[in-house]
Amino acid sequence: MPTAYEQLTELVRDANLLHATESLLGWDQEVMMPSGGVAFRGRQLAQLARLGHEMATDRRIVELLAACEGDAALTGDRLSVPAVNVREIRRKYDRRTRLPADLVAEFAKVTSLARHEWAEARKANDFRRFEPHLTKIIELSRERAACYGWPEGGEPWDALSEDFQPGCSAAYVQRVFSPLRPRLVKLVGELMDAPGRPDDSFNHCRLPVEKQEQFVRQVAQCIGFDFSRGRLDRSTHPFCSGTHVHDVRMTTRFHEEKLLDALASTLHESGHAIYEQNLPGRDDDSLIGLPMSDSVSLSIHESQSRLWENQVGRSAAFWHWCQPMLREAFGAEAASYSARRLYEAANVVTPSLIRVEADEATYNLHIMVRFELERALLRGDMTPGDVPGAWNERYRDYLGIDVPDDAHGCLQDIHWSLGAMGYFPTYTLGNLYAAQFFEKASEYLGNLDDQIARGEFGPLREWLTKSIHSHAMRYESEALCEHVTGKPLSADPLMRHLERKLRGVYGLA
Amino acid sequence: MPTAYEQLTELVRDANLLHATESLLGWDQEVMMPSGGVAFRGRQLAQLARLGHEMATDRRIVELLAACEGDAALTGDRLSVPAVNVREIRRKYDRRTRLPADLVAEFAKVTSLARHEWAEARKANDFRRFEPHLTKIIELSRERAACYGWPEGGEPWDALSEDFQPGCSAAYVQRVFSPLRPRLVKLVGELMDAPGRPDDSFNHCRLPVEKQEQFVRQVAQCIGFDFSRGRLDRSTHPFCSGTHVHDVRMTTRFHEEKLLDALASTLHESGHAIYEQNLPGRDDDSLIGLPMSDSVSLSIHESQSRLWENQVGRSAAFWHWCQPMLREAFGAEAASYSARRLYEAANVVTPSLIRVEADEATYNLHIMVRFELERALLRGDMTPGDVPGAWNERYRDYLGIDVPDDAHGCLQDIHWSLGAMGYFPTYTLGNLYAAQFFEKASEYLGNLDDQIARGEFGPLREWLTKSIHSHAMRYESEALCEHVTGKPLSADPLMRHLERKLRGVYGLA
């Protein structure tokens, strides 16, 4: 007779197996599916979601959980593999079963319509068309938050952000973002006033897309993406989708004049993928589908992608290593670009309207605008009708630019229309964690810059696996940060990184 | 309240939706999956099979079936859409529930091991290693056949072949094959004794694989494969996998010296795919997942692939149309080959050892050997130990060649190791149906050869859709043949086709 823990983990693995299938169908839809398949694919995904929900809310799970939680041999050491699995299975089970079915259905209906109306509103550049849908989403989101509940002293935002970053709160985000904003605004101002500009002519260099693809595949392999356990394909929007630790699929996109974008996005997705490929299930199949082979949070996931994209991929050392490879890959077309010119082209800062096109520094200011607005909406301090004005005011204050219309302003992102509230900050938290982890790795590895300049990425990758990937969900994000770096998350490492690098690039050093 | 018929079809559509997902995962495994994913994919497929079986054997189905069967308004006209759906749902439900679970499990275990042992035995060229597994498979197959049962006057083979061709029997196959064999043997003998040989030098022409791929895609599109509702990729073994009518995926393979193989296999898979893409679900989504949007049988499916591969793709008219395209695609490399030389190269006949490499004429003799042996094994007229001797004797009698060893003889095919008994004849039945359908199409369309020579494939494709695809499972294979051609299946059309064409190619006309 299997133990309660064995039965519990078997049920959870089985539910997550179906989830992995759902994820593969999602990948296929974006990357492979012919256009005619779209309606039927929606039905397939809905069926898998329904069956997966039934399995994940099986009443036997809660009975087995109770038995496991009462077993001190299992959960006494709260950082042990079984204890973490039991704790996180409980968290997810409770969360899944806390919403009434009619609220779930209503939310799905409202966001499905809102997603469509958001796209139409953006096309028509007309926020008023989206406003009633946003109003409904905020209303239902507050209801959802009330069902989930939040800790003493918290607020509705906290309850919703739990889906993306367990244990996070608006107050925590505010505490971290507050010192960051003025320092970023000041730095960007300095750079804009600098007498010189980096040489960005490489950004206009036309390179054949086929060769670009070969090149970024080579780079992904060099930094440690394992092609025997994953794929790299093309899609409209780059993404990484981890079916499971042995089959991780990422995508990128190419444009003749945008090798740097293709490279940055490949490094970014490789960072996500390397995390997924090195979770503990890598060496122990029985963990696949359990919390002890799952990622901590979206922000820790983002820290892994941003670290490879920015700390590594936008460093002088990286371009020292990369430039000869680039010459070899593209020949005469790229031969005239020195490592320094490439490094400069990868580090241009320009306040701009669109988040997804923003540079490493200003990106975080885009996030702060969104965080402040969604928090105020959920608290009831602001109504959806106030959004365009509040948005445009902040873009003037933080980024120094005027928003010409809502399509280039508060209608640019899909997230709110999907009902994803509490998601945006994970991007900037990811940037902050990335910088803090990278500082620690440099300290630990000693000569990290030299290693990168020689194309030796193994030690960094192994340090990340040992320090972060191997812990799966053992620690919550903030606890992991303290465990790895010895300090709570702070704006200092990111600001040190940006100030040192960008002042150098802009001739202010 | 939905009617019994509405409830029934909803349950069946739901079960088949999961089956479509299973099929997509199978495609992905062959075409896209990184090697590391194999073990986990096995688990995913097993889970879907288990859930699908649960849904397809839901007790509600049998209750709803009884209600529908008793409703004359629904099933009174036995060729109406609801009547066909009810009849075929009943057939499948009964078949699924007729085997005891322990026999299903035992058969899965035995064939899983047998498949592995067959591969090892073939590698070692040692039939004795496979023999005990084949013995066990025959034993279990006879047990399965006894559970399924067969009509009065039938035999175990009939019960098993039902999976591949509902309503088929060994006696029927024997009746069709009997006149075919001596005529084929005679024709092949004539060709081998002919003074000249067709010019097959094109079969040694080396052409770049990338260009081959572009070329066969163009041909697939010309004959009517709809790329907005399907894909063509590469895989080790070409196949077509219909997830559903709006997403049909086929594969082919390429080799520098084998454009004709790549083209024939693309035409073949396109024939399967065009069938799948034009089932009635094409115009009525509510039929997807029901018998009235499913194919009749493997042999009718094969008739569609063989018709495009052989009747069209190996005709003089086709090469008249294709030759200028080939010149354009490959330039100087192909320019010296006239339509006549290409046509000859596509129609070389050579008795050979390996079924999958056989030509259009001798292929059917390979099938007869297999049919006679599996029938005798299931009747108990032969033991597995007799197989190599009986195999080799027939290859001498039918094909006039000596089998040097079992790897090139009775160990060459995977089918029996998978427990697929009653499958092989569908290939030759497909060839026979193809010829009989094509004769009828020529009669109906009048100038079919001229149309093909002009690259006008629409009329033929539409005739196939109207005559065959649109009926889905309305008629059993033989009844469909009579409905379409006005005659029972006969060896005459295939023999007329082969004799006329091949005597011409071999200068015997």
Side-chain angles (χ1 to χ4, degrees):
Chain A
M1 177 71 183
T3 65
Y5 179 71
E6 285 163 351
Q7 292 177 60
L8 174 69
T9 50
E10 186 53 36
L11 286 175
V12 171
R13 267 194 301 260
D14 204 35
N16 279 323
L17 190 60
L18 210 60
H19 186 65
T21 297
E22 203 181 329
S23 165
L24 183 76
L25 262 62
W27 172 86
D28 182 82
Q29 175 163 0
E30 297 302 321
V31 183
M32 293 292 158
M33 192 182 73
S35 59
V38 69
F40 198 83
R41 181 57 49 88
R43 286 196 239 164
Q44 286 178 290
L45 288 169
Q47 181 185 51
L48 293 176
R50 169 171 61 79
L51 293 171
H53 182 78
E54 280 169 19
M55 288 163 92
T57 53
D58 189 323
R59 286 292 304 165
R60 283 176 297 170
I61 290 179
V62 75
E63 287 156 21
L64 293 163
L65 267 173
C68 292
E69 286 162 342
D71 180 353
L74 210 58
T75 54
D77 171 3
R78 49 174 282 284
L79 296 180
S80 70
V81 169
V84 173
N85 281 335
V86 169
R87 181 190 77 208
E88 294 298 326
I89 292 169
R90 161 64 73 185
R91 189 204 299 262
K92 286 207 182 97
Y93 183 86
D94 285 353
R95 200 161 167 83
R96 274 208 187 84
T97 52
R98 214 164 270 163
L99 294 190
D102 56 351
L103 179 55
V104 173
E106 172 80 358
F107 193 67
K109 211 181 83 189
V110 165
T111 51
S112 166
L113 180 60
R115 180 183 179 169
H116 175 77
E117 290 296 311
W118 162 77
E120 294 298 313
R122 187 168 79 156
K123 216 183 294 166
N125 192 15
D126 177 10
F127 178 77
R128 298 302 150 204
R129 177 160 181 176
F130 180 54
E131 189 185 329
H133 302 281
L134 183 57
T135 303
K136 193 73 194 155
I137 285 172
I138 296 295
E139 196 183 303
L140 292 176
S141 295
R142 287 163 57 98
E143 271 187 59
R144 291 174 70 231
C147 294
Y148 288 136
W150 53 80
E152 182 76 28
E155 56 186 87
W157 190 94
D158 307 354
L160 300 177
S161 115
E162 177 89 3
D163 276 337
F164 314 116
Q165 168 124 334
C168 191
S169 72
Y172 169 83
V173 173
Q174 187 62 52
R175 202 160 58 238
V176 177
F177 283 9
S178 285
L180 181 62
R181 181 160 57 78
R183 290 176 70 178
L184 272 177
V185 170
K186 177 164 172 289
L187 174 62
V188 172
E190 275 176 33
L191 303 179
M192 293 307 98
D193 293 341
R197 296 264 308 161
D199 172 1
D200 70 343
S201 54
F202 185 69
N203 288 318
H204 307 291
C205 183
R206 297 171 75 91
L207 300 169
V209 161
E210 304 306 321
K211 285 189 187 172
Q212 288 191 33
E213 180 159 11
Q214 282 171 31
F215 178 70
V216 304
R217 293 177 77 86
Q218 191 186 355
V219 172
Q221 180 140 32
C222 289
I223 71 167
F225 178 77
D226 180 352
F227 279 93
S228 79
R229 299 190 297 127
R231 295 181 55 90
L232 172 59
D233 294 278
R234 300 187 191 186
S235 69
T236 315
H237 301 285
F239 68 94
C240 171
S241 118
T243 307
H244 60 88
V245 70
H246 300 305
D247 186 357
V248 178
R249 303 189 182 191
M250 57 179 186
T251 68
T252 189
R253 64 180 161 196
F254 299 95
H255 183 283
E256 271 201 346
E257 287 186 22
K258 295 191 174 171
L259 171 64
L260 289 187
D261 281 4
L263 181 63
S265 113
T266 304
L267 287 167
H268 182 99
E269 303 307 336
S270 295
H272 284 306
I274 288 169
Y275 187 7
E276 291 286 330
Q277 288 188 329
N278 291 289
L279 286 164
R282 184 189 69 181
D283 305 312
D284 180 355
D285 264 7
S286 73
L287 291 175
I288 297 177
L290 296 180
M292 267 307 293
S293 190
D294 202 355
S295 55
V296 186
S297 66
L298 287 194
S299 53
I300 295 298
H301 228 307
E302 195 72 6
S303 78
Q304 302 305 292
S305 58
R306 299 290 184 156
L307 185 147
W308 288 102
E309 178 190 355
N310 291 333
Q311 270 70 24
V312 175
R314 292 195 159 91
S315 70
F318 178 82
W319 286 103
H320 178 83
W321 166 72
C322 202
Q323 191 262 356
M325 269 173 66
L326 199 98
R327 277 175 65 167
E328 191 161 325
F330 298 98
E333 291 146 312
S336 64
Y337 293 92
S338 66
R340 175 73 200 181
R341 290 178 75 195
L342 294 165
Y343 168 61
E344 289 191 15
N347 282 291
V348 177
V349 172
T350 316
S352 65
L353 290 165
I354 305 298
R355 175 183 61 86
V356 295
E357 296 167 4
D359 57 78
E360 191 184 351
T362 60
Y363 187 92
N364 303 295
L365 297 168
H366 291 261
I367 295 303
M368 291 174 192
V369 173
R370 288 152 178 79
F371 166 64
E372 289 166 19
L373 266 53
E374 68 182 16
R375 185 187 190 190
L377 286 167
L378 289 168
R379 286 162 75 122
D381 295 347
M382 183 188 282
T383 67
D386 301 330
V387 164
W391 182 286
N392 298 350
E393 191 187 315
R394 280 173 176 76
Y395 266 74
R396 210 171 302 119
D397 289 354
Y398 302 171
L399 286 140
I401 55 175
D402 287 316
V403 177
D405 55 45
D406 295 337
H408 295 84
C410 63
L411 283 175
Q412 69 183 266
D413 294 308
I414 197 174
H415 301 58
W416 290 340
S417 78
L418 301 173
M421 299 272 157
Y423 188 116
F424 281 120
T426 64
Y427 294 122
T428 284
L429 292 171
N431 285 333
L432 292 161
Y433 286 126
Q436 194 154 331
F437 290 150
F438 193 78
E439 263 196 3
K440 190 69 191 180
S442 307
E443 197 184 309
Y444 180 85
L445 295 170
N447 51 356
L448 185 47
D449 258 6
D450 293 350
Q451 291 172 11
I452 292 173
R454 287 195 301 268
E456 292 167 19
F457 300 103
L460 172 61
R461 194 181 62 250
E462 283 155 24
W463 183 86
L464 290 168
T465 293
K466 178 175 65 85
S467 309
I468 295 157
H469 313 159
S470 73
H471 290 302
M473 301 194 81
R474 176 169 286 131
Y475 304 102
E476 283 186 357
S477 313
E478 180 61 18
L480 178 67
C481 178
E482 295 200 27
H483 179 80
V484 173
T485 70
K487 292 177 196 154
L489 183 63
S490 141
D492 293 343
L494 179 62
M495 287 312 304
R496 271 196 290 271
H497 159 76
L498 290 174
E499 284 163 359
R500 190 180 308 139
K501 181 172 70 167
L502 296 173
R503 284 181 181 148
V505 168
Y506 278 77
L508 299 170
Chain B
M1 178 69 184
T3 65
Y5 179 70
E6 284 163 352
Q7 293 177 59
L8 175 69
T9 50
E10 186 52 36
L11 286 174
V12 172
R13 268 194 301 261
D14 204 36
N16 279 323
L17 190 60
L18 209 61
H19 186 66
T21 297
E22 202 182 329
S23 163
L24 184 76
L25 262 63
W27 172 86
D28 182 83
Q29 175 163 0
E30 296 302 322
V31 183
M32 294 292 158
M33 191 182 75
S35 59
V38 69
F40 198 83
R41 181 55 50 88
R43 285 196 240 165
Q44 286 178 288
L45 288 169
Q47 181 186 49
L48 293 176
R50 169 171 61 79
L51 293 171
H53 182 77
E54 280 169 18
M55 289 163 91
T57 54
D58 188 324
R59 286 292 303 167
R60 283 177 298 171
I61 291 179
V62 75
E63 288 155 21
L64 293 163
L65 267 174
C68 292
E69 285 161 343
D71 180 354
L74 208 59
T75 53
D77 171 3
R78 48 174 283 283
L79 295 178
S80 71
V81 170
V84 173
N85 281 335
V86 168
R87 180 190 78 209
E88 294 298 326
I89 292 169
R90 161 65 71 187
R91 189 205 298 264
K92 285 207 183 96
Y93 183 87
D94 284 353
R95 201 162 166 83
R96 272 208 189 84
T97 52
R98 214 163 270 162
L99 293 189
D102 56 351
L103 178 55
V104 172
E106 172 79 357
F107 193 66
K109 211 181 84 190
V110 165
T111 52
S112 166
L113 180 61
R115 181 183 178 165
H116 175 77
E117 289 297 311
W118 161 77
E120 293 298 313
R122 187 167 78 155
K123 215 183 297 167
N125 192 13
D126 177 10
F127 178 79
R128 298 301 152 207
R129 176 159 181 178
F130 179 54
E131 189 185 329
H133 301 280
L134 183 57
T135 302
K136 191 75 194 152
I137 285 172
I138 296 294
E139 194 183 307
L140 292 175
S141 295
R142 286 163 58 99
E143 270 187 58
R144 291 174 70 231
C147 294
Y148 289 137
W150 52 80
E152 181 76 31
E155 55 185 86
W157 190 94
D158 306 354
L160 299 176
S161 113
E162 178 89 4
D163 277 337
F164 314 116
Q165 168 124 335
C168 191
S169 71
Y172 170 82
V173 173
Q174 188 62 52
R175 201 158 59 237
V176 177
F177 284 8
S178 285
L180 181 61
R181 182 160 57 78
R183 291 176 68 177
L184 272 177
V185 170
K186 177 164 172 288
L187 173 62
V188 172
E190 277 175 33
L191 303 178
M192 293 307 98
D193 292 341
R197 295 264 309 161
D199 173 2
D200 71 342
S201 55
F202 186 68
N203 288 317
H204 307 290
C205 183
R206 296 172 75 92
L207 300 169
V209 160
E210 304 305 322
K211 286 189 186 172
Q212 288 192 33
E213 180 159 11
Q214 281 170 31
F215 179 71
V216 303
R217 295 177 76 84
Q218 192 186 355
V219 173
Q221 180 138 33
C222 288
I223 70 166
F225 178 78
D226 180 352
F227 279 94
S228 79
R229 299 190 295 128
R231 295 182 55 91
L232 171 59
D233 295 277
R234 299 188 192 186
S235 68
T236 315
H237 300 287
F239 68 94
C240 171
S241 119
T243 306
H244 59 89
V245 69
H246 300 305
D247 186 357
V248 177
R249 304 190 180 189
M250 57 177 184
T251 68
T252 189
R253 63 179 162 198
F254 300 95
H255 183 283
E256 273 202 344
E257 288 186 22
K258 294 190 172 172
L259 171 64
L260 289 187
D261 281 4
L263 181 63
S265 114
T266 304
L267 287 167
H268 182 100
E269 302 308 335
S270 294
H272 285 306
I274 288 169
Y275 187 6
E276 291 287 329
Q277 287 188 329
N278 291 289
L279 286 164
R282 183 189 71 181
D283 305 312
D284 180 354
D285 265 8
S286 73
L287 291 176
I288 297 177
L290 296 180
M292 265 309 291
S293 189
D294 202 356
S295 54
V296 187
S297 65
L298 288 193
S299 52
I300 296 298
H301 229 306
E302 195 73 6
S303 78
Q304 302 305 293
S305 58
R306 298 291 183 153
L307 185 147
W308 289 101
E309 178 190 355
N310 292 333
Q311 269 69 25
V312 175
R314 291 195 159 91
S315 70
F318 179 84
W319 286 104
H320 177 85
W321 166 72
C322 201
Q323 191 262 358
M325 271 174 65
L326 198 99
R327 278 175 63 166
E328 191 162 325
F330 299 98
E333 290 147 313
S336 64
Y337 292 92
S338 67
R340 174 75 200 181
R341 290 178 75 196
L342 294 165
Y343 167 62
E344 289 190 16
N347 282 291
V348 176
V349 172
T350 318
S352 65
L353 291 164
I354 305 296
R355 175 182 61 85
V356 296
E357 296 167 3
D359 56 79
E360 191 184 350
T362 60
Y363 187 91
N364 303 295
L365 298 169
H366 291 260
I367 294 304
M368 291 174 191
V369 173
R370 287 150 179 81
F371 165 64
E372 289 167 18
L373 266 54
E374 68 183 15
R375 186 188 190 189
L377 286 166
L378 289 167
R379 288 162 75 122
D381 296 346
M382 183 188 281
T383 66
D386 302 330
V387 164
W391 183 285
N392 299 350
E393 190 187 316
R394 281 173 177 76
Y395 265 74
R396 210 170 302 121
D397 289 353
Y398 302 172
L399 286 139
I401 54 175
D402 287 316
V403 176
D405 54 46
D406 295 337
H408 294 84
C410 61
L411 283 175
Q412 69 183 267
D413 294 309
I414 197 175
H415 302 56
W416 289 341
S417 79
L418 302 171
M421 297 274 159
Y423 188 117
F424 281 121
T426 64
Y427 294 122
T428 283
L429 291 172
N431 286 333
L432 292 161
Y433 286 127
Q436 194 154 330
F437 291 151
F438 193 79
E439 263 196 3
K440 188 70 189 180
S442 307
E443 196 185 308
Y444 180 86
L445 295 169
N447 52 355
L448 185 47
D449 259 6
D450 293 350
Q451 291 171 12
I452 292 173
R454 288 194 302 268
E456 292 167 19
F457 301 103
L460 173 60
R461 193 181 62 250
E462 282 154 27
W463 182 85
L464 290 168
T465 294
K466 178 174 66 83
S467 310
I468 295 159
H469 313 161
S470 73
H471 289 302
M473 301 192 83
R474 177 169 286 133
Y475 304 102
E476 284 187 355
S477 313
E478 179 61 19
L480 178 67
C481 178
E482 295 200 27
H483 179 80
V484 173
T485 69
K487 293 177 195 152
L489 183 63
S490 140
D492 293 342
L494 179 62
M495 286 313 305
R496 271 196 290 270
H497 159 77
L498 290 174
E499 284 163 359
R500 190 180 308 139
K501 181 173 69 167
L502 296 174
R503 284 180 179 149
V505 168
Y506 277 77
L508 300 169

